[in-house]
């Protein structure tokens, strides 16, 4: 009886050892300020390698032509040409989409002194955080604003790696942001995952608040709108204004995102 | 040969982990399809052995490094605990649907611990309960398929 219990426990020993090792790694990572967890992403650009290169698609048939009869070779050449045309068509469509999204962006932004780097969603991880393309390779830094194609802020960069970054979006409980209204009143924005909470820091607000903007006084790169609070209920508690806004829009693979940077 | 087997199992698990995240990014519904969690529970309940500890550990380290903002080792230990817990439950009780339901509920709770700690209950509770039944259905279907064809 006792020996069967010992055998039962023994089969987990290796697992417990590795759980202990994982815990140890977490402790080392905590005290080394995440040097350990950033080591692999800093050495390897894995994320950008997920995309299949156009060159590979274009040359799909080219290796087959060498040892075939002329007719087959001609057939393959034509197929290759067709593939090239298809690739060009897809590329053209993508460029057309980019032009459209830039047109929307241009309509809504006021600052043309900045460079707008296009970025897109890579995936959402298990903790509902968004990974977006572009990192240190584009000189992105933690805190850089991320805007959508209408010029509205959708978040800021939380962590930046070689070729990807982690977006602190409205859904993130770490989301903490300061903005100004049109009368230069300061608001603090936080999130509980489902709602955004806007709280004024000044206690002398009388009129209704409408548009809120980022500002260079908070270290932001420029003035970008975040939301119009007019349609939402604005409550006054201890002379301070609080507005709760449900988060409705989710980012998808089709979302066009931009990161404004100085030229 | 052993190194090759270990490497290929690690890569396969890591790919499953990425596919799970891509899938959940794509579907954007109020529940998750956790194919990687299901495979961990399958390892725990059906093919549990000590040779799989290193591939699970390595896939966890890769996931922690590339896709998580938490400290290195957190998801690795979550993955290992899920396997141990699922094996512990099925080795103590017979494998009935109720036991599988309990196993998936507990393992999903552990799997989602970073979200549970960080967010309020109303953020995850509905999604958690729906996910239990969706993933239980997938798990039972997968188990039946492997029983018939393997």
């Amino acid at each position: 009886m006792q020996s069967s219990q010992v055998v039962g426990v023994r089969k987990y020993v290796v697992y417990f050892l590795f759980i202990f090792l994982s815990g140890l790694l977490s402790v080392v990572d905590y005290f080394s300020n995440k040097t350990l967890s950033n080591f692999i992403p800093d050495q390897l650009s894995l994320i950008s390698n997920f995309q299949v290169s156009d060159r590979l698609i274009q040359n799909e048939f080219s290796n087959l032509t060498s040892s075939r009869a002329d007719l087959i070779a001609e057939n393959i050449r034509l197929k290759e040409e067709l593939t090239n045309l298809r690739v060009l068509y897809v590329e053209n469509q993508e460029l057309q989409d980019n032009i459209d999204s830039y047109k929307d962006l241009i309509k809504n932004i006021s600052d043309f002194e900045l460079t707008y780097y296009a970025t897109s969603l890579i995936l959402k991880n298990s903790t509902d955080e968004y990974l977006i393309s572009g990192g240190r390779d584009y000189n992105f830094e933690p805190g850089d604003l991320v805007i959508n194609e209408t010029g509205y802020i959708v978040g800021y960069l939380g962590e930046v790696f070689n070729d990807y970054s982690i977006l602190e979006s409205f859904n993130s409980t770490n989301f903490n942001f300061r903005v100004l209204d049109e009368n230069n009143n300061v608001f603090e924005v936080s999130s509980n995952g489902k709602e955004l909470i806007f709280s004024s820091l000044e206690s002398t607000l009388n009129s209704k608040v409408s548009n809120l903007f980022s500002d260079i006084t908070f270290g932001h790169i420029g003035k970008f709108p975040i939301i119009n609070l007019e349609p939402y209920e604005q409550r006054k508690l201890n002379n301070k204004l609080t507005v709760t806004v449900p988060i409705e829009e989710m980012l998808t693979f089709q979302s066009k995102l931009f990161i404004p940077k100085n030229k | 040969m052993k190194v090759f087997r270990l490497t290929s199992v690690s890569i396969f698990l890591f790919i499953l982990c990425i596919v799970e995240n891509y899938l959940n990014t794509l579907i954007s519904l109020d529940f998750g399809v956790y194919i990687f969690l299901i495979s961990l529970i399958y390892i725990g309940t059906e093919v549990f052995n000590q040779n799989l500890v290193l591939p699970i550990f390595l896939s966890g380290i890769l996931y922690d490094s590339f896709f998580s903002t938490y400290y290195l080792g957190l998801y690795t230990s979550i993955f290992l605990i899920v396997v141990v817990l699922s094996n512990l439950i099925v080795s103590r009780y017979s494998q009935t649907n109720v036991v599988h339901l309990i196993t998936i509920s507990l393992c999903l709770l552990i799997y989602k611990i970073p979200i549970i700690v960080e967010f309020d209950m109303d953020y995850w509770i509905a999604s958690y309960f729906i996910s239990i039944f969706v993933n239980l259905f997938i798990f039972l279907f997968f188990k039946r398929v492997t029983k018939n064809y393997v």
Side-chain angles (χ1 to χ4, degrees):
Chain A
M1 184 71 184
Q2 246 183 351
S3 67
S4 70
Q5 274 181 338
V6 171
V7 170
V9 173
R10 203 179 285 162
K11 68 178 178 181
Y12 299 125
V13 168
V14 183
Y15 277 85
F16 286 132
L17 276 175
F18 274 86
I19 292 168
F20 177 72
L21 181 63
S22 310
L24 210 62
L25 284 173
S26 295
V27 173
V28 174
D29 199 30
Y30 173 75
F31 284 109
S32 66
N33 203 18
K34 286 193 145 188
T35 318
L36 211 59
S37 56
N38 291 345
F39 178 75
I40 302 177
D42 284 348
Q43 303 299 315
L44 272 172
S45 295
L46 182 84
I47 302 295
S48 53
N49 293 334
F50 280 144
Q51 291 166 344
V52 182
S53 76
D54 290 344
R55 225 177 135 190
L56 189 75
I57 301 164
Q58 282 172 28
N59 294 331
E60 199 177 358
F61 301 109
S62 60
N63 295 334
L64 300 172
T65 57
S66 56
S67 60
R68 301 281 182 188
D70 285 351
L71 196 61
I72 297 166
E74 179 66 8
N75 196 9
I76 289 167
R77 194 187 63 78
L78 286 169
K79 271 186 185 170
E80 202 178 313
E81 244 169 54
L82 191 70
T83 314
N84 285 343
L85 281 171
R86 277 189 190 146
V87 169
L88 273 176
Y89 176 76
V90 172
E91 211 170 284
N92 187 32
Q93 284 293 111
E94 277 173 8
L95 286 171
Q96 201 68 46
D97 287 348
N98 276 344
I99 290 168
D100 289 341
S101 67
Y102 275 116
K103 270 183 194 164
D104 286 331
L105 183 71
I106 286 164
K107 263 187 239 164
N108 294 294
I109 57 162
S110 52
D111 200 338
F112 293 99
E113 295 299 310
L114 301 171
T115 305
Y116 293 86
Y117 290 98
T119 176
S120 57
L121 180 66
I122 298 173
L123 61 81
K124 190 170 74 174
N125 68 12
S126 306
T127 38
D128 290 352
E129 292 167 320
Y130 293 103
L131 272 71
I132 58 172
S133 57
R136 276 196 287 271
D137 48 355
Y138 286 99
N139 291 326
F140 294 163
E141 288 162 3
D144 282 350
L145 296 180
V146 181
I147 59 173
N148 62 15
E149 59 188 348
T150 56
Y152 275 76
I153 295 168
V154 293
Y156 58 88
L157 299 185
E159 283 187 49
V160 177
F161 299 97
N162 264 357
D163 56 344
Y164 71 101
S165 305
I166 290 173
L167 171 69
E168 289 291 351
S169 68
F170 293 157
N171 304 90
S172 167
T173 49
N174 295 327
F175 187 85
N176 201 293
F177 204 65
R178 283 200 172 181
V179 284
L180 287 181
D181 72 353
E182 280 143 342
N183 301 316
N184 288 337
N185 297 307
V186 184
F187 281 78
E188 192 158 59
V189 194
S190 57
S191 169
N192 63 10
K194 289 213 160 181
E195 291 165 324
L196 275 179
I197 300 135
F198 296 84
S199 324
S200 69
L201 295 185
E202 278 97 0
S203 55
T204 52
L205 281 170
N206 293 318
S207 57
K208 228 181 167 194
V209 180
S210 52
N211 281 309
L212 296 178
F213 301 91
S214 61
D215 198 82
I216 49 166
T217 49
F218 306 125
H220 305 148
I221 197 148
K223 191 175 178 178
F224 291 97
I226 184 164
I227 198 163
N228 181 6
L229 288 181
E230 229 162 0
Y232 302 99
E233 191 197 349
Q234 304 188 0
R235 285 173 289 126
K236 262 194 174 176
L237 289 168
N238 303 327
N239 268 342
K240 290 190 176 182
L241 198 78
T242 306
V243 187
T244 308
V245 178
I247 302 163
E248 280 156 4
E249 264 186 59
M250 302 292 280
L251 294 179
T252 64
F253 285 116
Q254 280 75 41
S255 305
K256 305 268 180 203
L257 303 173
F258 299 91
I259 298 178
K261 294 286 289 179
N262 279 319
K263 278 181 183 169
Chain B
M1 195 61 194
K2 203 178 174 185
V3 174
F4 176 75
R5 196 170 160 268
L6 280 177
T7 315
S8 49
V9 175
S10 309
I11 292 168
F12 175 72
L13 285 175
F14 183 54
I15 288 169
L16 263 185
C17 202
I18 296 169
V19 170
E20 178 188 287
N21 284 293
Y22 266 109
L23 200 66
N24 289 317
T25 314
L26 267 172
I27 58 175
S28 290
L29 293 171
D30 205 17
F31 63 85
V33 178
Y34 302 111
I35 53 165
F36 182 66
L37 174 74
I38 291 169
S39 58
L40 288 180
I41 296 172
Y42 187 81
I43 289 172
T45 55
E46 304 291 322
V47 287
F48 184 85
N49 71 59
Q50 294 182 355
N51 295 332
L52 286 167
V53 70
L54 197 60
I56 298 167
F57 179 80
L58 287 176
S59 58
I61 290 289
L62 287 173
Y63 183 79
D64 273 323
S65 304
F66 286 108
F67 300 114
S68 164
T69 49
Y70 294 96
Y71 295 107
L72 187 79
L74 178 82
Y75 269 98
T76 315
S77 42
I78 286 176
F79 295 167
L80 291 167
I81 290 167
V82 163
V83 176
V84 171
L85 182 75
S86 53
N87 183 263
L88 206 71
I89 295 171
V90 294
S91 54
R92 279 183 181 246
Y93 307 99
S94 57
Q95 289 205 38
T96 60
N97 285 352
V98 179
V99 171
H100 287 313
L101 177 74
I102 294 165
T103 311
I104 288 180
S105 310
L106 290 175
C107 290
L108 189 60
L109 204 66
I110 290 165
Y111 197 65
K112 291 258 131 200
I113 254 183
I115 281 190
I116 291 166
V117 170
E118 204 172 314
F119 292 89
D120 292 337
M121 198 186 252
D122 60 344
Y123 178 82
W124 55 267
I125 197 85
S127 138
Y128 169 71
F129 281 115
I130 302 168
S131 301
I132 288 173
F133 291 101
V134 171
N135 290 290
L136 176 70
F137 176 75
I138 299 169
F139 176 73
L140 293 176
F141 176 76
F142 181 67
K143 233 183 124 206
R144 183 161 290 185
V145 169
T146 49
K147 207 178 234 176
N148 289 342
Y149 293 100
V150 179

